[in-house]
Amino acid sequence: MQRRHLLAAGAAGLALPASALEFAAPRPPVAMRLSPDRIIDITVGIRPFRAQGPRLQIQRLHGKTVVHHYGHGGSGWSLSWGSAQRALALVQAAGLKPGQRLAVVGAGAIGLTTARWAQQAGYPVRLYGKDRAPRVHSSAATGLWTPESRIVTSAHASPEWMSDWEAMARDAFQVHQSYLGLSSGPVQWHDGYVVGDVGFDQPVPNPYAGEPDYPDLAPHVADLRPQGLALAAGEHPFGLRHARRFTQLVFNIPAYQRLLWEDFMRDGGRWQPHELRSTRDFARLPETVVVNCTGDGARMLLGDASMTPVRGQTARLIPQPEVDYALIYRGQGIVALPRRDGLLVATMAPGDFGSSDLRPDRTQSEDAVRRLAHLF
Ligand SMILES: Cc1cc2nc3c(=O)[nH]c(=O)nc-3n(C[C@H](O)[C@H](O)[C@H](O)COP(=O)(O)OP(=O)(O)OC[C@H]3O[C@@H](n4cnc5c(N)ncnc54)[C@H](O)[C@@H]3O)c2cc1C
């Protein structure tokens, strides 16, 4: 029970020992050490956004059955397992039987989880890809369970689409949870704070100007996240600002990627570095059924005009293991997340929607770090 609830209970006439109040008082979080000289790395990644939502579709291409499986926007890690389950259902609908070899092209979050899910269903898998971790966009992800992030536009979010999405998010969530409690910590639960300069009942300017309108999908999976708690001044270390606490599933991306890779190889998976330059290259693969998990690469490979690249930049600061909470600066487009490999500060800038520019902009990250530092 939170301190404020206990106080309310006390006011209602229930006798509470002072020690109970002491025990329930929220522990003030350790301040993040935020200064630009602590930046050890800056990475840029591309979210493979598709206005219609992820493409999960069978296509016959030059004599091969290709299962397209790309376009997961800012939700690829979050939705991965649920999406992989649906891709495998398409593989099975195409007639491939367990024991017959499956090709998966792409070794990002989507390709790796698809390969693992297929292996577990009895398919030997050969994984092809231009690159693998850490040289894939999935390695640049922040690592929050955000299945609703840049996944579809409002214009395409029909009730049927939303119901399919919700089922996918729930299926994925269940598998992610089976990775809790492992020594390398691929999946964990973390508390976090959303902090704002104005009250939560007041609108803030959209920091992502130029983006399409997205539907509010979060309420559909609200039961999978503990309800956020509004904190009064004095219950958080952010001065007079407005703050809410939340609790969220977090992925330690490097550990998760490595575990998936090792599990894949241990179970007999094969890896073949290989770039497909045109759709004709699908026909040159020996396997008859191919799952195409090329993410933003599908934009070029298939000439898919429905895909929009969305750039995202993340600075990594020297790890600070004593920090155990995430921080979202409302209205500023800045997220800080403690991971084992560093304290991440992710930013978005005007013009990122539609941009595939992979050049890091150090000034942008330094500015974000300074703005966060002001919060403490
Ligand atoms: C900054 C940032 C923060 C993010 N934060 C989160 C988050 O907190 N939570 C979340 O759920 N998601 C997040 N995402 C989104 C998530 O990272 C993506 O949805 C996910 O990475 C998509 O995975 P993918 O496997 O489809 O693509 P990729 O990781 O891009 O993998 C594509 C694979 O295909 C290969 N490939 C491409 N083209 C070819 C070709 N022609 N021939 C052969 N191989 C090819 C590549 O080499 C690679 O192996 C974030 C993304 C970014 C950029």
Side-chain angles (χ1 to χ4, degrees), residues 304-319:
D304 186 342
S306 70
M307 293 283 289
T308 306
V310 184
R311 182 185 183 279
Q313 177 168 309
T314 306
R316 204 145 45 97
L317 277 65
I318 295 170

Side-chain angles (χ1 to χ4, degrees), residues 253-267:
I253 302 289
Y256 210 175
Q257 269 176 326
R258 182 168 288 243
L259 184 62
L260 293 174
W261 180 265
E262 287 172 357
D263 286 354
F264 172 71
M265 294 309 247
R266 187 203 55 221
D267 286 353

